[in-house]
PDB file of all heavy atoms in Angstrom:
ATOM      1  N   ALA A   1       5.007   0.814 -12.923  1.00 96.00           N
ATOM      2  CA  ALA A   1       4.084   0.155 -13.818  1.00 96.00           C
ATOM      3  C   ALA A   1       4.878  -0.507 -14.954  1.00 96.00           C
ATOM      4  O   ALA A   1       5.659   0.129 -15.653  1.00 96.00           O
ATOM      5  CB  ALA A   1       3.140   1.168 -14.508  1.00 96.00           C
ATOM      6  N   ALA A   2       4.677  -1.742 -15.126  1.00 96.00           N
ATOM      7  CA  ALA A   2       5.368  -2.551 -16.095  1.00 96.00           C
ATOM      8  C   ALA A   2       4.484  -2.869 -17.282  1.00 96.00           C
ATOM      9  O   ALA A   2       3.246  -3.049 -17.172  1.00 96.00           O
ATOM     10  CB  ALA A   2       5.911  -3.946 -15.619  1.00 96.00           C
ATOM     11  N   SER A   3       5.055  -2.798 -18.508  1.00 93.00           N
ATOM     12  CA  SER A   3       4.295  -3.114 -19.793  1.00 93.00           C
ATOM     13  C   SER A   3       5.155  -3.997 -20.666  1.00 93.00           C
ATOM     14  O   SER A   3       6.383  -4.055 -20.441  1.00 93.00           O
ATOM     15  CB  SER A   3       3.818  -1.815 -20.489  1.00 93.00           C
ATOM     16  OG  SER A   3       4.964  -1.102 -20.817  1.00 93.00           O
ATOM     17  N   GLY A   4       4.547  -4.625 -21.600  1.00 91.00           N
ATOM     18  CA  GLY A   4       5.326  -5.489 -22.476  1.00 91.00           C
ATOM     19  C   GLY A   4       5.208  -6.946 -22.034  1.00 91.00           C
ATOM     20  O   GLY A   4       4.122  -7.339 -21.588  1.00 91.00           O
ATOM     21  N   SER A   5       6.300  -7.712 -22.067  1.00 86.00           N
ATOM     22  CA  SER A   5       6.244  -9.148 -21.802  1.00 86.00           C
ATOM     23  C   SER A   5       6.354  -9.348 -20.270  1.00 86.00           C
ATOM     24  O   SER A   5       7.225 -10.002 -19.748  1.00 86.00           O
ATOM     25  CB  SER A   5       7.410  -9.814 -22.477  1.00 86.00           C
ATOM     26  OG  SER A   5       7.315  -9.595 -23.888  1.00 86.00           O
ATOM     27  N   THR A   6       5.322  -8.897 -19.595  1.00 85.00           N
ATOM     28  CA  THR A   6       5.363  -8.921 -18.139  1.00 85.00           C
ATOM     29  C   THR A   6       5.222 -10.334 -17.568  1.00 85.00           C
ATOM     30  O   THR A   6       5.536 -10.633 -16.508  1.00 85.00           O
ATOM     31  CB  THR A   6       4.322  -8.023 -17.504  1.00 85.00           C
ATOM     32  OG1 THR A   6       2.997  -8.430 -18.025  1.00 85.00           O
ATOM     33  CG2 THR A   6       4.545  -6.524 -17.831  1.00 85.00           C
ATOM     34  N   PHE A   7       4.617 -11.250 -18.439  1.00 84.00           N
ATOM     35  CA  PHE A   7       4.425 -12.594 -18.009  1.00 84.00           C
ATOM     36  C   PHE A   7       5.778 -13.278 -17.791  1.00 84.00           C
ATOM     37  O   PHE A   7       5.873 -14.295 -17.035  1.00 84.00           O
ATOM     38  CB  PHE A   7       3.738 -13.380 -19.130  1.00 84.00           C
ATOM     39  CG  PHE A   7       4.472 -13.505 -20.413  1.00 84.00           C
ATOM     40  CD1 PHE A   7       5.371 -14.550 -20.654  1.00 84.00           C
ATOM     41  CD2 PHE A   7       4.348 -12.552 -21.436  1.00 84.00           C
ATOM     42  CE1 PHE A   7       6.062 -14.614 -21.789  1.00 84.00           C
ATOM     43  CE2 PHE A   7       5.013 -12.592 -22.608  1.00 84.00           C
ATOM     44  CZ  PHE A   7       5.865 -13.590 -22.776  1.00 84.00           C
ATOM     45  N   SER A   8       6.848 -12.757 -18.270  1.00 86.00           N
ATOM     46  CA  SER A   8       8.139 -13.339 -18.212  1.00 86.00           C
ATOM     47  C   SER A   8       8.946 -12.985 -16.933  1.00 86.00           C
ATOM     48  O   SER A   8       9.999 -13.478 -16.653  1.00 86.00           O
ATOM     49  CB  SER A   8       9.058 -13.009 -19.451  1.00 86.00           C
ATOM     50  OG  SER A   8       9.316 -11.565 -19.377  1.00 86.00           O
ATOM     51  N   LEU A   9       8.423 -12.112 -16.178  1.00 90.00           N
ATOM     52  CA  LEU A   9       9.062 -11.506 -15.027  1.00 90.00           C
ATOM     53  C   LEU A   9       8.939 -12.483 -13.847  1.00 90.00           C
ATOM     54  O   LEU A   9       7.876 -12.976 -13.519  1.00 90.00           O
ATOM     55  CB  LEU A   9       8.574 -10.131 -14.611  1.00 90.00           C
ATOM     56  CG  LEU A   9       8.637  -9.139 -15.821  1.00 90.00           C
ATOM     57  CD1 LEU A   9       8.091  -7.790 -15.313  1.00 90.00           C
ATOM     58  CD2 LEU A   9      10.119  -8.925 -16.217  1.00 90.00           C
ATOM     59  N   ASN A  10      10.120 -12.583 -13.085  1.00 93.00           N
ATOM     60  CA  ASN A  10      10.126 -13.400 -11.856  1.00 93.00           C
ATOM     61  C   ASN A  10      10.209 -12.583 -10.598  1.00 93.00           C
ATOM     62  O   ASN A  10       9.682 -12.992  -9.546  1.00 93.00           O
ATOM     63  CB  ASN A  10      11.308 -14.367 -11.894  1.00 93.00           C
ATOM     64  CG  ASN A  10      11.301 -15.330 -13.090  1.00 93.00           C
ATOM     65  OD1 ASN A  10      12.236 -15.286 -13.876  1.00 93.00           O
ATOM     66  ND2 ASN A  10      10.214 -16.067 -13.288  1.00 93.00           N
ATOM     67  N   VAL A  11      10.925 -11.520 -10.703  1.00 96.00           N
ATOM     68  CA  VAL A  11      11.118 -10.677  -9.501  1.00 96.00           C
ATOM     69  C   VAL A  11      11.185  -9.194  -9.879  1.00 96.00           C
ATOM     70  O   VAL A  11      11.616  -8.843 -11.002  1.00 96.00           O
ATOM     71  CB  VAL A  11      12.438 -11.010  -8.797  1.00 96.00           C
ATOM     72  CG1 VAL A  11      13.579 -10.858  -9.672  1.00 96.00           C
ATOM     73  CG2 VAL A  11      12.625 -10.291  -7.519  1.00 96.00           C
ATOM     74  N   MET A  12      10.664  -8.368  -9.026  1.00 97.00           N
ATOM     75  CA  MET A  12      10.622  -6.971  -9.242  1.00 97.00           C
ATOM     76  C   MET A  12      11.203  -6.318  -7.939  1.00 97.00           C
ATOM     77  O   MET A  12      11.081  -6.846  -6.791  1.00 97.00           O
ATOM     78  CB  MET A  12       9.358  -6.326  -9.590  1.00 97.00           C
ATOM     79  CG  MET A  12       8.813  -6.849 -10.846  1.00 97.00           C
ATOM     80  SD  MET A  12       7.246  -6.101 -11.421  1.00 97.00           S
ATOM     81  CE  MET A  12       7.901  -4.438 -11.924  1.00 97.00           C
ATOM     82  N   ALA A  13      12.018  -5.246  -8.090  1.00 98.00           N
ATOM     83  CA  ALA A  13      12.640  -4.658  -6.935  1.00 98.00           C
ATOM     84  C   ALA A  13      12.809  -3.183  -7.097  1.00 98.00           C
ATOM     85  O   ALA A  13      12.670  -2.618  -8.148  1.00 98.00           O
ATOM     86  CB  ALA A  13      14.044  -5.322  -6.763  1.00 98.00           C
ATOM     87  N   TRP A  14      13.085  -2.570  -5.946  1.00 98.00           N
ATOM     88  CA  TRP A  14      13.365  -1.060  -5.915  1.00 98.00           C
ATOM     89  C   TRP A  14      14.827  -0.964  -5.513  1.00 98.00           C
ATOM     90  O   TRP A  14      15.253  -1.622  -4.478  1.00 98.00           O
ATOM     91  CB  TRP A  14      12.493  -0.389  -4.961  1.00 98.00           C
ATOM     92  CG  TRP A  14      11.114  -0.192  -5.428  1.00 98.00           C
ATOM     93  CD1 TRP A  14       9.961  -1.045  -5.220  1.00 98.00           C
ATOM     94  CD2 TRP A  14      10.644   0.826  -6.317  1.00 98.00           C
ATOM     95  NE1 TRP A  14       8.904  -0.482  -5.817  1.00 98.00           N
ATOM     96  CE2 TRP A  14       9.193   0.593  -6.581  1.00 98.00           C
ATOM     97  CE3 TRP A  14      11.250   1.871  -6.950  1.00 98.00           C
ATOM     98  CZ2 TRP A  14       8.454   1.424  -7.329  1.00 98.00           C
ATOM     99  CZ3 TRP A  14      10.432   2.716  -7.711  1.00 98.00           C
ATOM    100  CH2 TRP A  14       9.066   2.518  -7.986  1.00 98.00           C
ATOM    101  N   TYR A  15      15.559  -0.141  -6.215  1.00 98.00           N
ATOM    102  CA  TYR A  15      16.961   0.281  -5.857  1.00 98.00           C
ATOM    103  C   TYR A  15      16.989   1.719  -5.622  1.00 98.00           C
ATOM    104  O   TYR A  15      16.009   2.373  -6.048  1.00 98.00           O
ATOM    105  CB  TYR A  15      17.844  -0.159  -7.057  1.00 98.00           C
ATOM    106  CG  TYR A  15      18.244  -1.630  -7.121  1.00 98.00           C
ATOM    107  CD1 TYR A  15      17.302  -2.512  -7.569  1.00 98.00           C
ATOM    108  CD2 TYR A  15      19.515  -2.068  -6.857  1.00 98.00           C
ATOM    109  CE1 TYR A  15      17.601  -3.795  -7.680  1.00 98.00           C
ATOM    110  CE2 TYR A  15      19.816  -3.419  -6.999  1.00 98.00           C
ATOM    111  CZ  TYR A  15      18.796  -4.239  -7.424  1.00 98.00           C
ATOM    112  OH  TYR A  15      19.158  -5.642  -7.569  1.00 98.00           O
ATOM    113  N   ARG A  16      18.096   2.192  -5.067  1.00 98.00           N
ATOM    114  CA  ARG A  16      18.265   3.585  -4.942  1.00 98.00           C
ATOM    115  C   ARG A  16      19.714   3.989  -5.078  1.00 98.00           C
ATOM    116  O   ARG A  16      20.505   3.118  -4.758  1.00 98.00           O
ATOM    117  CB  ARG A  16      17.656   4.111  -3.597  1.00 98.00           C
ATOM    118  CG  ARG A  16      18.433   3.676  -2.358  1.00 98.00           C
ATOM    119  CD  ARG A  16      17.672   4.194  -1.139  1.00 98.00           C
ATOM    120  NE  ARG A  16      18.426   3.812   0.127  1.00 98.00           N
ATOM    121  CZ  ARG A  16      17.862   3.942   1.361  1.00 98.00           C
ATOM    122  NH1 ARG A  16      16.707   4.486   1.477  1.00 98.00           N
ATOM    123  NH2 ARG A  16      18.588   3.540   2.407  1.00 98.00           N
ATOM    124  N   GLN A  17      19.937   5.218  -5.464  1.00 98.00           N
ATOM    125  CA  GLN A  17      21.294   5.640  -5.633  1.00 98.00           C
ATOM    126  C   GLN A  17      21.398   7.110  -5.176  1.00 98.00           C
ATOM    127  O   GLN A  17      20.725   8.003  -5.790  1.00 98.00           O
ATOM    128  CB  GLN A  17      21.776   5.445  -7.096  1.00 98.00           C
ATOM    129  CG  GLN A  17      23.294   5.797  -7.209  1.00 98.00           C
ATOM    130  CD  GLN A  17      23.704   5.328  -8.614  1.00 98.00           C
ATOM    131  OE1 GLN A  17      22.975   5.166  -9.553  1.00 98.00           O
ATOM    132  NE2 GLN A  17      25.068   5.167  -8.710  1.00 98.00           N
ATOM    133  N   ALA A  18      22.147   7.375  -4.129  1.00 96.00           N
ATOM    134  CA  ALA A  18      22.443   8.665  -3.707  1.00 96.00           C
ATOM    135  C   ALA A  18      23.654   9.229  -4.408  1.00 96.00           C
ATOM    136  O   ALA A  18      24.573   8.405  -4.744  1.00 96.00           O
ATOM    137  CB  ALA A  18      22.502   8.730  -2.184  1.00 96.00           C
ATOM    138  N   PRO A  19      23.873  10.534  -4.466  1.00 92.00           N
ATOM    139  CA  PRO A  19      25.067  11.123  -5.059  1.00 92.00           C
ATOM    140  C   PRO A  19      26.325  10.593  -4.451  1.00 92.00           C
ATOM    141  O   PRO A  19      26.435  10.579  -3.200  1.00 92.00           O
ATOM    142  CB  PRO A  19      24.956  12.582  -4.910  1.00 92.00           C
ATOM    143  CG  PRO A  19      23.404  12.789  -4.853  1.00 92.00           C
ATOM    144  CD  PRO A  19      22.888  11.541  -4.125  1.00 92.00           C
ATOM    145  N   GLY A  20      27.205  10.026  -5.181  1.00 94.00           N
ATOM    146  CA  GLY A  20      28.557   9.566  -4.728  1.00 94.00           C
ATOM    147  C   GLY A  20      28.417   8.130  -4.174  1.00 94.00           C
ATOM    148  O   GLY A  20      29.473   7.562  -3.754  1.00 94.00           O
ATOM    149  N   ASN A  21      27.290   7.576  -4.195  1.00 95.00           N
ATOM    150  CA  ASN A  21      27.133   6.169  -3.657  1.00 95.00           C
ATOM    151  C   ASN A  21      26.813   5.223  -4.738  1.00 95.00           C
ATOM    152  O   ASN A  21      26.291   5.587  -5.826  1.00 95.00           O
ATOM    153  CB  ASN A  21      25.982   6.147  -2.682  1.00 95.00           C
ATOM    154  CG  ASN A  21      26.378   6.871  -1.369  1.00 95.00           C
ATOM    155  OD1 ASN A  21      27.382   7.349  -1.182  1.00 95.00           O
ATOM    156  ND2 ASN A  21      25.383   6.956  -0.405  1.00 95.00           N
ATOM    157  N   GLN A  22      27.110   3.969  -4.468  1.00 97.00           N
ATOM    158  CA  GLN A  22      26.595   2.920  -5.432  1.00 97.00           C
ATOM    159  C   GLN A  22      25.174   2.698  -5.326  1.00 97.00           C
ATOM    160  O   GLN A  22      24.500   2.910  -4.336  1.00 97.00           O
ATOM    161  CB  GLN A  22      27.418   1.647  -5.113  1.00 97.00           C
ATOM    162  CG  GLN A  22      28.908   1.654  -5.420  1.00 97.00           C
ATOM    163  CD  GLN A  22      29.520   0.331  -5.284  1.00 97.00           C
ATOM    164  OE1 GLN A  22      29.141  -0.494  -4.548  1.00 97.00           O
ATOM    165  NE2 GLN A  22      30.668   0.122  -5.977  1.00 97.00           N
ATOM    166  N   ARG A  23      24.586   2.228  -6.392  1.00 97.00           N
ATOM    167  CA  ARG A  23      23.152   1.772  -6.417  1.00 97.00           C
ATOM    168  C   ARG A  23      23.002   0.603  -5.485  1.00 97.00           C
ATOM    169  O   ARG A  23      23.765  -0.376  -5.514  1.00 97.00           O
ATOM    170  CB  ARG A  23      22.750   1.422  -7.822  1.00 97.00           C
ATOM    171  CG  ARG A  23      21.248   1.367  -8.008  1.00 97.00           C
ATOM    172  CD  ARG A  23      20.791   1.202  -9.412  1.00 97.00           C
ATOM    173  NE  ARG A  23      21.169   2.458 -10.156  1.00 97.00           N
ATOM    174  CZ  ARG A  23      20.815   2.640 -11.410  1.00 97.00           C
ATOM    175  NH1 ARG A  23      20.002   1.767 -12.048  1.00 97.00           N
ATOM    176  NH2 ARG A  23      21.163   3.752 -12.083  1.00 97.00           N
ATOM    177  N   GLU A  24      21.974   0.619  -4.611  1.00 98.00           N
ATOM    178  CA  GLU A  24      21.759  -0.436  -3.705  1.00 98.00           C
ATOM    179  C   GLU A  24      20.297  -0.865  -3.794  1.00 98.00           C
ATOM    180  O   GLU A  24      19.367  -0.077  -4.012  1.00 98.00           O
ATOM    181  CB  GLU A  24      22.025   0.036  -2.249  1.00 98.00           C
ATOM    182  CG  GLU A  24      21.139   1.171  -1.767  1.00 98.00           C
ATOM    183  CD  GLU A  24      21.400   1.504  -0.299  1.00 98.00           C
ATOM    184  OE1 GLU A  24      22.152   0.723   0.364  1.00 98.00           O
ATOM    185  OE2 GLU A  24      20.800   2.526   0.151  1.00 98.00           O
ATOM    186  N   GLU A  25      20.112  -2.208  -3.408  1.00 98.00           N
ATOM    187  CA  GLU A  25      18.777  -2.695  -3.447  1.00 98.00           C
ATOM    188  C   GLU A  25      18.118  -2.344  -2.200  1.00 98.00           C
ATOM    189  O   GLU A  25      18.655  -2.491  -1.127  1.00 98.00           O
ATOM    190  CB  GLU A  25      18.736  -4.228  -3.643  1.00 98.00           C
ATOM    191  CG  GLU A  25      17.327  -4.798  -3.764  1.00 98.00           C
ATOM    192  CD  GLU A  25      17.320  -6.263  -4.059  1.00 98.00           C
ATOM    193  OE1 GLU A  25      18.395  -6.869  -4.266  1.00 98.00           O
ATOM    194  OE2 GLU A  25      16.167  -6.826  -4.206  1.00 98.00           O
ATOM    195  N   VAL A  26      16.800  -1.866  -2.329  1.00 98.00           N
ATOM    196  CA  VAL A  26      16.100  -1.443  -1.220  1.00 98.00           C
ATOM    197  C   VAL A  26      15.116  -2.589  -0.806  1.00 98.00           C
ATOM    198  O   VAL A  26      14.945  -2.959   0.469  1.00 98.00           O
ATOM    199  CB  VAL A  26      15.374  -0.182  -1.418  1.00 98.00           C
ATOM    200  CG1 VAL A  26      14.367   0.242  -0.301  1.00 98.00           C
ATOM    201  CG2 VAL A  26      16.232   0.949  -1.711  1.00 98.00           C
ATOM    202  N   ALA A  27      14.362  -3.093  -1.738  1.00 98.00           N
ATOM    203  CA  ALA A  27      13.386  -4.099  -1.415  1.00 98.00           C
ATOM    204  C   ALA A  27      13.087  -4.908  -2.725  1.00 98.00           C
ATOM    205  O   ALA A  27      13.206  -4.304  -3.807  1.00 98.00           O
ATOM    206  CB  ALA A  27      12.138  -3.545  -0.930  1.00 98.00           C
ATOM    207  N   GLY A  28      12.696  -6.162  -2.556  1.00 98.00           N
ATOM    208  CA  GLY A  28      12.331  -6.931  -3.717  1.00 98.00           C
ATOM    209  C   GLY A  28      11.185  -7.818  -3.407  1.00 98.00           C
ATOM    210  O   GLY A  28      10.843  -8.098  -2.206  1.00 98.00           O
ATOM    211  N   ILE A  29      10.455  -8.270  -4.503  1.00 97.00           N
ATOM    212  CA  ILE A  29       9.374  -9.099  -4.354  1.00 97.00           C
ATOM    213  C   ILE A  29       9.250  -9.993  -5.505  1.00 97.00           C
ATOM    214  O   ILE A  29       9.503  -9.614  -6.647  1.00 97.00           O
ATOM    215  CB  ILE A  29       8.048  -8.196  -4.218  1.00 97.00           C
ATOM    216  CG1 ILE A  29       6.803  -9.130  -3.889  1.00 97.00           C
ATOM    217  CG2 ILE A  29       7.813  -7.409  -5.415  1.00 97.00           C
ATOM    218  CD1 ILE A  29       5.607  -8.349  -3.444  1.00 97.00           C
ATOM    219  N   THR A  30       8.933 -11.343  -5.281  1.00 96.00           N
ATOM    220  CA  THR A  30       8.762 -12.274  -6.345  1.00 96.00           C
ATOM    221  C   THR A  30       7.357 -12.060  -6.907  1.00 96.00           C
ATOM    222  O   THR A  30       6.389 -11.909  -6.109  1.00 96.00           O
ATOM    223  CB  THR A  30       8.968 -13.684  -5.920  1.00 96.00           C
ATOM    224  OG1 THR A  30       8.085 -14.032  -4.806  1.00 96.00           O
ATOM    225  CG2 THR A  30      10.384 -13.890  -5.439  1.00 96.00           C
ATOM    226  N   THR A  31       7.182 -12.219  -8.245  1.00 92.00           N
ATOM    227  CA  THR A  31       5.929 -11.865  -8.757  1.00 92.00           C
ATOM    228  C   THR A  31       4.858 -12.969  -8.602  1.00 92.00           C
ATOM    229  O   THR A  31       3.716 -12.696  -8.474  1.00 92.00           O
ATOM    230  CB  THR A  31       6.053 -11.663 -10.349  1.00 92.00           C
ATOM    231  OG1 THR A  31       6.696 -12.891 -10.911  1.00 92.00           O
ATOM    232  CG2 THR A  31       7.016 -10.532 -10.645  1.00 92.00           C
ATOM    233  N   GLU A  32       5.223 -14.213  -8.377  1.00 91.00           N
ATOM    234  CA  GLU A  32       4.324 -15.229  -8.258  1.00 91.00           C
ATOM    235  C   GLU A  32       3.932 -15.387  -6.794  1.00 91.00           C
ATOM    236  O   GLU A  32       2.774 -15.398  -6.473  1.00 91.00           O
ATOM    237  CB  GLU A  32       4.788 -16.596  -8.808  1.00 91.00           C
ATOM    238  CG  GLU A  32       3.790 -17.696  -8.813  1.00 91.00           C
ATOM    239  CD  GLU A  32       4.239 -18.932  -9.577  1.00 91.00           C
ATOM    240  OE1 GLU A  32       5.150 -18.760 -10.410  1.00 91.00           O
ATOM    241  OE2 GLU A  32       3.685 -19.995  -9.381  1.00 91.00           O
ATOM    242  N   SER A  33       4.873 -15.670  -5.939  1.00 93.00           N
ATOM    243  CA  SER A  33       4.651 -16.048  -4.472  1.00 93.00           C
ATOM    244  C   SER A  33       4.485 -14.792  -3.568  1.00 93.00           C
ATOM    245  O   SER A  33       3.937 -14.831  -2.512  1.00 93.00           O
ATOM    246  CB  SER A  33       5.704 -16.959  -3.920  1.00 93.00           C
ATOM    247  OG  SER A  33       6.937 -16.204  -3.947  1.00 93.00           O
ATOM    248  N   GLY A  34       5.043 -13.653  -4.029  1.00 93.00           N
ATOM    249  CA  GLY A  34       4.997 -12.479  -3.224  1.00 93.00           C
ATOM    250  C   GLY A  34       5.959 -12.460  -2.113  1.00 93.00           C
ATOM    251  O   GLY A  34       5.888 -11.654  -1.134  1.00 93.00           O
ATOM    252  N   PHE A  35       7.042 -13.296  -2.250  1.00 97.00           N
ATOM    253  CA  PHE A  35       8.054 -13.324  -1.230  1.00 97.00           C
ATOM    254  C   PHE A  35       8.814 -11.971  -1.269  1.00 97.00           C
ATOM    255  O   PHE A  35       9.131 -11.498  -2.354  1.00 97.00           O
ATOM    256  CB  PHE A  35       9.044 -14.452  -1.330  1.00 97.00           C
ATOM    257  CG  PHE A  35      10.183 -14.458  -0.486  1.00 97.00           C
ATOM    258  CD1 PHE A  35      10.045 -15.058   0.778  1.00 97.00           C
ATOM    259  CD2 PHE A  35      11.429 -14.003  -0.820  1.00 97.00           C
ATOM    260  CE1 PHE A  35      11.089 -15.069   1.673  1.00 97.00           C
ATOM    261  CE2 PHE A  35      12.476 -13.979   0.064  1.00 97.00           C
ATOM    262  CZ  PHE A  35      12.332 -14.552   1.306  1.00 97.00           C
ATOM    263  N   THR A  36       9.094 -11.375  -0.121  1.00 98.00           N
ATOM    264  CA  THR A  36       9.755 -10.108  -0.072  1.00 98.00           C
ATOM    265  C   THR A  36      11.085 -10.077   0.692  1.00 98.00           C
ATOM    266  O   THR A  36      11.291 -10.976   1.591  1.00 98.00           O
ATOM    267  CB  THR A  36       8.843  -9.009   0.626  1.00 98.00           C
ATOM    268  OG1 THR A  36       8.555  -9.448   1.952  1.00 98.00           O
ATOM    269  CG2 THR A  36       7.520  -8.915  -0.092  1.00 98.00           C
TER     270      THR A  36
END
């Protein structure tokens, strides 16, 4: 859930980080077009 100046956002994404690993992007979506 996003709050604040959400009108300014272009893309939202999920990342994950397992112990000993770098943070990696799992999935992303553009806020206007819904491209994933």
Side-chain angles (χ1 to χ4, degrees):
S3 60
S5 302
T6 56
F7 63 90
S8 68
L9 300 177
N10 303 122
V11 62
M12 297 186 72
W14 287 96
Y15 284 71
R16 68 186 181 186
Q17 188 168 20
N21 290 358
Q22 290 187 335
R23 192 172 296 189
E24 62 173 352
E25 183 174 1
V26 174
I29 186 168
T30 56
T31 57
E32 185 170 345
S33 64
F35 178 81
T36 59

